[in-house]
């Protein structure tokens, strides 16, 4: 377990393709990826936890977990639950990161995807209150689970909506009362969690002046508003571009949008406290926009030779990871935020893990030539 190798211009190199990132918003983030089912010592399948000091630019690896033949392709922190990882394509593993002891520990695992020849999960995320989990993947079903205290496994509650094409992304509202998910049809569906009707909830379609033909929604996030309500942040693209990010009201009406690139987008992350989002692009660049204004704050050149597969915020820094085995850290202007002490604290993450027989090119997970992800 070594520290990332320092490059130039905010680049740090690691010994594996970076397919997943997750941050606590402070000084800790996790990265994951690897070489798939044929992983060896040179390109292992791993999850690494890192601490980043914004003042010095020092980046250290504080914990590591070898996932053997299982490839992690998505990570998400939850501050009130435990770290969850999807493994063997259709399973989710719950892990916990103990920063004080520099350990990652598995707590439990459960199966979420069953239908199809090779079922795979794309998203697994806790609700903000830690009481629910949403999962979705290749079987086209959005599933809602009741989170239990590990080692007890989550309890399946119900399906949200009818079976559709592959589920790409999902998110809960800040009050955990609403759930949104987008799929390969290009639409986004919105449900009130406590109600089972209507089956498909409210369907949102993205119409953009920047895109000729249909805009396909690939990413969805909830953004809390000052009045205690919320708006939806949707990332969409045309068949081969361009990429747009738009804000939508709960009734589905579009409030504003911005074209972020001529090529498709790959990833998005929100910093609610500072009112901004970072967008990872297919070109290998990334852009930072204000929220809710959607004004451009910073845009990099192509800092990765492959698409910016995942993005996250760590303090006043926007980080991106790519299949070219590196991170890029972009320091943002403005006052530095204080870092919350997290020693002796169990940080929480979702890790979506898939056992892949080097399907990087076919699925586009590592090289980023296919679907988006969180």
């Amino acid at each position: 377990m070594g520290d990332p190798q320092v490059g130039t211009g905010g680049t740090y190199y690691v010994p594996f393709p970076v397919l997943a990132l997750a941050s606590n918003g402070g000084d800790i983030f996790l990265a994951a990826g690897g070489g798939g089912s044929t992983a060896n010592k040179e390109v292992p399948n791993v999850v690494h936890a890192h601490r980043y000091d914004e003042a010095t630019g020092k980046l250290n690896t504080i914990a590591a977990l070898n996932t053997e033949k299982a490839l992690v392709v998505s990570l998400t922190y939850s501050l009130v639950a435990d770290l969850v990882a999807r493994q063997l394509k259709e399973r989710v593993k719950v892990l916990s990161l103990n920063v004080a002891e520099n350990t990652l520990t598995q707590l439990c695992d459960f199966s979420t995807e069953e239908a199809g020849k090779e079922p795979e999960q794309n998203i697994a995320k806790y609700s903000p209150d830690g009481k629910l989990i949403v999962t979705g993947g290749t079987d086209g079903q959005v599933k809602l689970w009741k989170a239990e205290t590990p080692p007890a496994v989550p309890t399946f509650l119900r399906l949200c909506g009818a079976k559709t094409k592959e589920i790409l992304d999902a998110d809960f509202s800040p009050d955990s009362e609403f759930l949104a998910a987008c799929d390969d049809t290009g639409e986004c569906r919105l449900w009130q969690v406590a109600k089972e009707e209507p089956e498909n909830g409210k369907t949102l379609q993205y119409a953009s002046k920047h895109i000729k033909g249909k805009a396909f929604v690939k990413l969805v996030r909830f953004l809390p508003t000052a009045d205690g309500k919320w708006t939806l942040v949707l990332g969409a693209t045309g068949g081969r571009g361009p990429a747009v990010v738009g804000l939508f009201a709960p009734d589905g009406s579009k409030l504003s949008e911005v074209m972020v690139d001529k090529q498709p987008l790959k990833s998005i992350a929100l910093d609610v406290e500072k009112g901004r989002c970072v967008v990872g692009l297919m070109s290998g660049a990334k852009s930072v926009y204000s929220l809710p204004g959607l004004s451009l704050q910073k845009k990099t050149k192509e800092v990765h030779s492959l698409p910016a597969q995942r993005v996250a915020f760590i303090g006043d820094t926007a980080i991106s990871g790519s299949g070219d085995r590196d991170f890029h850290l972009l320091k943002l202007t403005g006052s530095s935020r204080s870092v919350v002490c997290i020693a002796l604290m169990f940080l929480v993450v979702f890790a979506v893990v898939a056992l892949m027989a080097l399907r990087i090119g076919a699925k586009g997970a590592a090289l980023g030539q296919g679907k988006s992800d969180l």
Side-chain angles (χ1 to χ4, degrees), residues 14-173:
V14 290
F16 57 91
V18 180
L19 308 183
L21 288 174
S23 167
N24 71 339
D27 63 344
I28 300 293
F29 73 93
L30 279 84
S37 63
T38 59
N40 51 38
K41 292 182 179 179
E42 287 72 31
V43 189
N45 292 323
V46 294
V47 179
H48 281 187
H50 302 279
R51 174 179 280 117
Y52 177 62
D53 187 326
E54 285 190 307
T56 64
K58 191 173 183 180
L59 182 60
N60 299 116
T61 304
I62 60 173
L65 177 68
N66 189 313
T67 57
E68 299 179 350
K69 298 299 182 182
L71 180 65
V72 179
V73 296
S74 182
L75 293 161
T76 307
Y77 264 111
S78 170
L79 296 177
V80 291
D82 275 302
L83 180 140
V84 175
R86 182 188 68 149
Q87 191 171 2
L88 299 175
K89 295 195 295 188
E90 74 283 357
R91 299 191 67 80
V92 172
K93 285 198 172 186
V94 181
L95 313 173
S96 181
L97 170 65
N98 188 323
V99 178
E101 298 181 2
N102 297 338
T103 59
L104 280 165
T105 306
Q106 179 180 325
L107 304 178
C108 68
D109 72 288
F110 62 103
S111 178
T112 63
E113 300 286 309
E114 298 177 354
K117 282 187 176 181
E118 297 181 353
E120 291 187 14
Q121 180 181 287
N122 292 328
I123 183 70
K125 185 177 290 186
Y126 273 114
S127 60
D129 62 9
K131 296 179 180 180
L132 299 170
I133 298 172
V134 60
T135 64
T138 56
D139 69 359
Q141 296 278 9
V142 179
K143 300 181 179 73
L144 194 63
W145 307 75
K146 177 186 176 184
E148 307 288 357
T149 301
V153 300
T155 302
F156 176 72
L157 294 177
R158 67 182 178 93
L159 299 174
C160 293
K163 181 180 176 64
T164 184
K165 292 187 176 181
E166 184 170 351
I167 308 302
L168 303 179
D169 196 17
D171 197 27
F172 286 99
S173 62

Side-chain angles (χ1 to χ4, degrees), residues 118-345:
E118 297 181 353
E120 291 187 14
Q121 180 181 287
N122 292 328
I123 183 70
K125 185 177 290 186
Y126 273 114
S127 60
D129 62 9
K131 296 179 180 180
L132 299 170
I133 298 172
V134 60
T135 64
T138 56
D139 69 359
Q141 296 278 9
V142 179
K143 300 181 179 73
L144 194 63
W145 307 75
K146 177 186 176 184
E148 307 288 357
T149 301
V153 300
T155 302
F156 176 72
L157 294 177
R158 67 182 178 93
L159 299 174
C160 293
K163 181 180 176 64
T164 184
K165 292 187 176 181
E166 184 170 351
I167 308 302
L168 303 179
D169 196 17
D171 197 27
F172 286 99
S173 62
D175 58 10
S176 303
E177 293 185 2
F178 290 85
L179 169 65
C182 53
D183 57 70
D184 248 353
T185 66
E187 298 178 343
C188 179
R189 291 179 292 171
L190 176 67
W191 297 273
Q192 191 169 354
V193 172
K195 298 181 179 180
E196 296 192 25
E197 298 294 338
E199 183 180 50
N200 280 324
K202 184 175 185 61
T203 300
L204 283 72
Q205 295 180 333
Y206 198 130
S208 173
K209 63 182 180 181
H210 301 290
I211 297 175
K212 294 181 179 180
K214 185 172 182 177
F216 292 84
V217 179
K218 300 292 186 180
L219 302 164
V220 58
R221 296 290 183 272
F222 280 88
L223 175 68
T225 56
D227 59 2
K229 298 180 181 180
W230 49 264
T231 56
L232 281 172
V233 180
L234 301 183
T237 183
R240 296 185 178 180
V244 294
V245 171
L247 267 60
F248 287 75
D251 64 4
S253 59
K254 186 172 64 176
L255 304 174
S256 60
E257 74 169 347
V258 62
M259 188 177 83
V260 297
D261 201 65
K262 294 181 179 180
Q263 297 186 49
L265 77 173
K266 283 298 298 177
S267 51
I268 194 170
L270 273 57
D271 180 349
V272 173
E273 181 182 333
K274 293 293 183 70
R276 57 195 177 189
C277 69
V278 56
V279 180
L281 302 172
M282 186 71 75
S283 64
K286 60 175 176 277
S287 301
V288 178
Y289 293 87
S290 65
L291 290 173
L294 290 179
S295 61
L296 180 64
Q297 295 184 336
K298 271 196 174 183
K299 184 172 184 176
T300 70
K301 60 179 182 180
E302 296 176 1
V303 293
H304 302 288
S305 59
L306 295 174
Q309 187 73 20
R310 303 290 179 181
V311 289
F313 284 101
I314 42 177
D316 275 316
T317 300
I319 181 173
S320 53
S322 176
D324 56 3
R325 306 188 190 187
D326 63 14
F327 308 131
H328 180 265
L329 279 67
L330 174 66
K331 183 65 182 297
L332 304 174
T333 57
S335 59
S336 177
R337 67 186 287 179
S338 61
V339 176
V340 179
C341 178
I342 52 174
L344 301 177
M345 171 183 179

